[in-house]
Amino acid sequence: MASEKPILYSYFRSSCSWRVRIALALKGISYDQVPVNLIKDGGQQFSAEFKALNPMQQVPALQIDGITLSQSLAIINYLEETHPNPRLLPQDAKKRAQVRMIADHIASGIQPLQNLSVLKQMGEKKMEWAQNCITSGFQALEQILQHTAGRYCVGDEVSMADLCLVPQVANAERFKVDMRPYPTITRINKALLELEAFKISHPSRQPDTPLELRA
Protein backbone atom coordinates (compact mmCIF):
# COMPACT_ATOMS: atom_id res chain seq x y z
CA MET A 1 0.00 0.00 0.00
CA ALA A 2 1.26 3.48 -0.88
CA SER A 3 0.11 4.78 2.53
CA GLU A 4 2.46 2.50 4.48
CA LYS A 5 5.36 3.94 6.47
CA PRO A 6 8.48 4.55 4.37
CA ILE A 7 11.35 2.08 4.87
CA LEU A 8 14.92 3.38 4.84
CA TYR A 9 17.72 0.93 4.14
CA SER A 10 20.64 2.55 5.92
CA TYR A 11 24.01 2.00 7.59
CA PHE A 12 24.73 4.05 10.71
CA ARG A 13 28.08 5.32 9.43
CA SER A 14 27.10 5.91 5.80
CA SER A 15 27.27 9.65 5.11
CA CYS A 16 24.82 9.31 2.21
CA SER A 17 22.31 7.56 4.50
CA TRP A 18 22.82 10.29 7.10
CA ARG A 19 21.85 12.99 4.56
CA VAL A 20 18.52 11.26 4.01
CA ARG A 21 17.95 10.68 7.73
CA ILE A 22 18.39 14.44 8.31
CA ALA A 23 15.87 15.25 5.54
CA LEU A 24 13.30 12.81 6.96
CA ALA A 25 13.78 14.28 10.44
CA LEU A 26 13.52 17.91 9.26
CA LYS A 27 10.34 17.16 7.35
CA GLY A 28 8.84 15.20 10.25
CA ILE A 29 8.37 12.00 8.22
CA SER A 30 8.26 8.91 10.41
CA TYR A 31 9.83 5.81 8.88
CA ASP A 32 11.10 2.32 9.63
CA GLN A 33 14.76 1.56 9.28
CA VAL A 34 16.37 -1.62 7.95
CA PRO A 35 20.11 -1.68 8.71
CA VAL A 36 22.44 -2.88 5.93
CA ASN A 37 25.87 -3.60 7.39
CA LEU A 38 28.47 -2.62 4.77
CA ILE A 39 31.25 -4.56 6.53
CA LYS A 40 29.66 -7.71 8.02
CA ASP A 41 29.34 -10.92 5.94
CA GLY A 42 31.55 -9.35 3.27
CA GLY A 43 29.01 -6.52 2.97
CA GLN A 44 25.27 -7.12 3.25
CA GLN A 45 24.71 -4.69 0.36
CA PHE A 46 25.99 -7.45 -1.96
CA SER A 47 23.22 -9.90 -1.03
CA ALA A 48 20.87 -10.97 -3.83
CA GLU A 49 17.97 -9.62 -1.79
CA PHE A 50 19.45 -6.12 -1.53
CA LYS A 51 20.67 -6.12 -5.15
CA ALA A 52 17.05 -6.66 -6.22
CA LEU A 53 16.14 -3.55 -4.21
CA ASN A 54 19.07 -1.39 -5.37
CA PRO A 55 21.12 -2.75 -8.29
CA MET A 56 23.95 -0.32 -7.39
CA GLN A 57 24.34 -2.25 -4.09
CA GLN A 58 24.69 0.94 -2.06
CA VAL A 59 22.84 2.60 0.80
CA PRO A 60 20.63 4.48 1.20
CA ALA A 61 17.55 3.09 -0.49
CA LEU A 62 14.10 4.37 0.44
CA GLN A 63 10.82 2.58 -0.17
CA ILE A 64 8.17 5.28 -0.20
CA ASP A 65 4.76 5.83 -1.84
CA GLY A 66 4.98 2.50 -3.66
CA ILE A 67 8.39 3.12 -5.28
CA THR A 68 12.02 2.41 -4.34
CA LEU A 69 14.53 5.24 -4.68
CA SER A 70 18.31 5.20 -4.36
CA GLN A 71 20.91 8.01 -4.57
CA SER A 72 20.66 10.38 -1.61
CA LEU A 73 20.12 13.62 -3.55
CA ALA A 74 17.41 12.06 -5.72
CA ILE A 75 15.68 10.89 -2.53
CA ILE A 76 16.00 14.32 -0.90
CA ASN A 77 14.63 16.01 -4.05
CA TYR A 78 11.63 13.66 -4.00
CA LEU A 79 10.99 14.43 -0.31
CA GLU A 80 11.29 18.14 -1.13
CA GLU A 81 8.69 17.89 -3.90
CA THR A 82 6.24 15.75 -1.92
CA HIS A 83 6.74 17.36 1.51
CA PRO A 84 7.66 20.97 0.70
CA ASN A 85 7.79 22.18 4.33
CA PRO A 86 10.23 23.07 5.71
CA ARG A 87 11.86 23.70 2.36
CA LEU A 88 15.42 22.54 1.71
CA LEU A 89 15.78 24.44 -1.58
CA PRO A 90 15.49 28.25 -1.40
CA GLN A 91 12.81 30.05 -3.43
CA ASP A 92 15.38 32.43 -4.94
CA ALA A 93 16.79 30.88 -8.15
CA LYS A 94 20.39 32.02 -7.53
CA LYS A 95 20.45 30.72 -3.97
CA ARG A 96 18.82 27.47 -5.11
CA ALA A 97 21.59 27.05 -7.71
CA GLN A 98 24.23 27.69 -5.03
CA VAL A 99 22.66 25.05 -2.77
CA ARG A 100 22.71 22.49 -5.59
CA MET A 101 26.28 23.46 -6.48
CA ILE A 102 27.52 22.86 -2.92
CA ALA A 103 25.52 19.64 -2.55
CA ASP A 104 26.98 18.35 -5.84
CA HIS A 105 30.47 19.49 -4.88
CA ILE A 106 30.29 17.20 -1.83
CA ALA A 107 28.11 14.39 -3.19
CA SER A 108 29.95 14.08 -6.53
CA GLY A 109 33.32 15.72 -5.96
CA ILE A 110 34.42 14.57 -2.50
CA GLN A 111 32.45 11.71 -0.97
CA PRO A 112 32.64 9.14 -3.83
CA LEU A 113 36.44 9.45 -3.92
CA GLN A 114 36.75 8.36 -0.27
CA ASN A 115 33.86 5.89 -0.33
CA LEU A 116 34.29 2.43 1.20
CA SER A 117 34.45 0.70 -2.21
CA VAL A 118 37.31 3.00 -3.34
CA LEU A 119 39.21 2.74 -0.05
CA LYS A 120 39.15 -1.06 -0.30
CA GLN A 121 41.16 -0.74 -3.53
CA MET A 122 43.72 1.56 -1.90
CA GLY A 123 45.05 -0.97 0.62
CA GLU A 124 47.56 0.53 3.08
CA LYS A 125 47.32 3.96 1.46
CA LYS A 126 43.62 4.36 2.24
CA MET A 127 44.04 6.88 5.09
CA GLU A 128 46.37 9.09 3.04
CA TRP A 129 44.11 8.81 -0.02
CA ALA A 130 40.97 9.77 1.94
CA GLN A 131 42.76 12.72 3.56
CA ASN A 132 43.97 14.01 0.17
CA CYS A 133 40.51 13.72 -1.43
CA ILE A 134 38.78 15.51 1.45
CA THR A 135 41.49 18.16 1.81
CA SER A 136 41.40 19.21 -1.85
CA GLY A 137 37.60 19.24 -1.78
CA PHE A 138 37.45 21.25 1.45
CA GLN A 139 39.94 23.84 0.17
CA ALA A 140 37.53 24.62 -2.68
CA LEU A 141 34.45 24.37 -0.45
CA GLU A 142 35.85 26.78 2.15
CA GLN A 143 36.40 29.34 -0.61
CA ILE A 144 32.87 28.87 -2.00
CA LEU A 145 31.24 29.14 1.44
CA GLN A 146 32.99 32.42 2.15
CA HIS A 147 30.77 33.87 -0.61
CA THR A 148 27.50 31.99 0.05
CA ALA A 149 27.28 31.37 3.80
CA GLY A 150 25.19 33.08 6.41
CA ARG A 151 24.53 31.05 9.51
CA TYR A 152 24.46 27.97 7.26
CA CYS A 153 25.90 27.03 3.85
CA VAL A 154 23.68 29.38 1.85
CA GLY A 155 22.26 32.23 3.88
CA ASP A 156 20.43 31.60 7.15
CA GLU A 157 18.11 28.73 6.21
CA VAL A 158 19.00 25.05 6.42
CA SER A 159 19.24 23.62 2.90
CA MET A 160 20.20 20.47 1.02
CA ALA A 161 23.79 21.77 1.05
CA ASP A 162 23.87 21.55 4.86
CA LEU A 163 22.55 17.98 4.74
CA CYS A 164 25.66 17.10 2.71
CA LEU A 165 28.11 19.18 4.73
CA VAL A 166 27.66 17.68 8.20
CA PRO A 167 28.18 14.01 7.22
CA GLN A 168 31.22 14.98 5.14
CA VAL A 169 32.81 16.79 8.10
CA ALA A 170 32.22 13.65 10.18
CA ASN A 171 34.07 11.66 7.50
CA ALA A 172 36.90 14.20 7.60
CA GLU A 173 37.16 13.81 11.37
CA ARG A 174 37.12 10.03 11.05
CA PHE A 175 40.02 10.19 8.60
CA LYS A 176 41.86 12.65 10.90
CA VAL A 177 41.83 15.58 8.48
CA ASP A 178 43.20 18.78 10.05
CA MET A 179 40.16 21.10 10.10
CA ARG A 180 42.04 24.26 11.14
CA PRO A 181 42.32 25.64 7.57
CA TYR A 182 38.51 25.52 7.20
CA PRO A 183 36.98 27.93 9.75
CA THR A 184 33.79 28.53 7.72
CA ILE A 185 33.09 24.81 7.29
CA THR A 186 33.82 24.26 11.00
CA ARG A 187 31.55 27.10 12.14
CA ILE A 188 28.60 26.00 9.98
CA ASN A 189 29.02 22.36 11.02
CA LYS A 190 28.96 23.33 14.70
CA ALA A 191 25.77 25.39 14.26
CA LEU A 192 24.04 22.56 12.38
CA LEU A 193 24.93 19.92 14.97
CA GLU A 194 22.96 21.93 17.54
CA LEU A 195 19.72 21.33 15.58
CA GLU A 196 17.50 18.46 16.71
CA ALA A 197 17.14 16.90 13.23
CA PHE A 198 20.92 16.61 12.94
CA LYS A 199 21.21 15.14 16.46
CA ILE A 200 18.59 12.39 16.11
CA SER A 201 19.93 11.35 12.70
CA HIS A 202 23.55 11.19 13.96
CA PRO A 203 25.49 7.92 13.42
CA SER A 204 25.92 7.55 17.19
CA ARG A 205 22.13 7.30 17.65
CA GLN A 206 21.02 4.73 15.07
CA PRO A 207 19.45 1.29 15.67
CA ASP A 208 22.55 -0.38 14.18
CA THR A 209 25.16 1.76 15.98
CA PRO A 210 27.61 -0.55 17.83
CA LEU A 211 27.48 -0.13 21.61
CA GLU A 212 31.00 1.33 21.84
CA LEU A 213 30.07 4.12 19.39
CA ARG A 214 26.70 5.03 20.91
CA ALA A 215 26.11 8.54 22.23
Side-chain angles (χ1 to χ4, degrees):
M1 293 296 292
S3 62
E4 282 174 5
K5 229 190 213 187
I7 300 172
L8 178 67
Y9 293 80
S10 169
Y11 178 55
F12 79 101
R13 196 177 249 167
S14 152
S15 56
C16 302
S17 299
W18 188 2
R19 295 172 195 157
V20 174
R21 294 195 303 258
I22 301 165
L24 290 163
L26 282 168
K27 290 182 179 292
I29 301 166
S30 82
Y31 62 97
D32 290 325
Q33 205 173 141
V34 175
V36 179
N37 192 315
L38 304 185
I39 311 291
K40 199 176 163 191
D41 310 326
Q44 295 173 346
Q45 71 275 29
F46 300 121
S47 71
E49 188 187 4
F50 189 73
K51 191 178 179 182
L53 194 80
N54 180 11
M56 278 295 282
Q57 300 174 300
Q58 295 170 337
V59 292
L62 183 69
Q63 289 182 316
I64 187 168
D65 301 335
I67 59 169
T68 302
L69 293 171
S70 61
Q71 298 299 335
S72 62
L73 298 190
I75 295 171
I76 293 165
N77 276 307
Y78 177 77
L79 297 176
E80 179 72 356
E81 287 167 13
T82 54
H83 299 76
N85 290 312
R87 64 168 181 263
L88 296 174
L89 288 168
Q91 280 175 315
D92 177 75
K94 288 176 185 171
K95 282 188 173 175
R96 197 159 63 240
Q98 288 174 327
V99 166
R100 289 186 168 129
M101 171 179 75
I102 293 163
D104 279 345
H105 179 82
I106 296 168
S108 304
I110 305 177
Q111 193 276 332
L113 299 173
Q114 50 91 132
N115 203 358
L116 181 64
S117 57
V118 175
L119 295 183
K120 273 185 184 167
Q121 310 292 323
M122 299 310 298
E124 289 172 9
K125 287 205 164 140
K126 71 178 180 187
M127 193 70 141
E128 187 190 346
W129 172 268
Q131 286 172 347
N132 289 343
C133 295
I134 296 170
T135 300
S136 62
F138 273 12
Q139 282 168 355
L141 186 60
E142 177 69 21
Q143 210 175 322
I144 292 165
L145 290 172
Q146 283 168 5
H147 298 286
T148 63
R151 181 162 174 76
Y152 306 122
C153 284
V154 177
D156 297 321
E157 281 185 27
V158 174
S159 72
M160 187 159 75
D162 299 297
L163 275 57
C164 295
L165 182 85
V166 167
Q168 190 57 53
V169 173
N171 283 353
E173 289 167 348
R174 206 166 102 231
F175 293 118
K176 300 182 169 43
V177 170
D178 178 8
M179 291 299 293
R180 285 173 300 182
Y182 318 116
T184 315
I185 294 174
T186 301
R187 173 184 66 74
I188 295 167
N189 183 65
K190 188 167 180 278
L192 288 162
L193 284 173
E194 287 166 12
L195 304 176
E196 189 60 20
F198 286 78
K199 287 181 187 172
I200 61 171
S201 58
H202 194 277
S204 63
R205 294 177 63 175
Q206 298 315 301
D208 59 329
T209 307
L211 280 174
E212 67 275 13
L213 296 175
R214 285 191 173 274

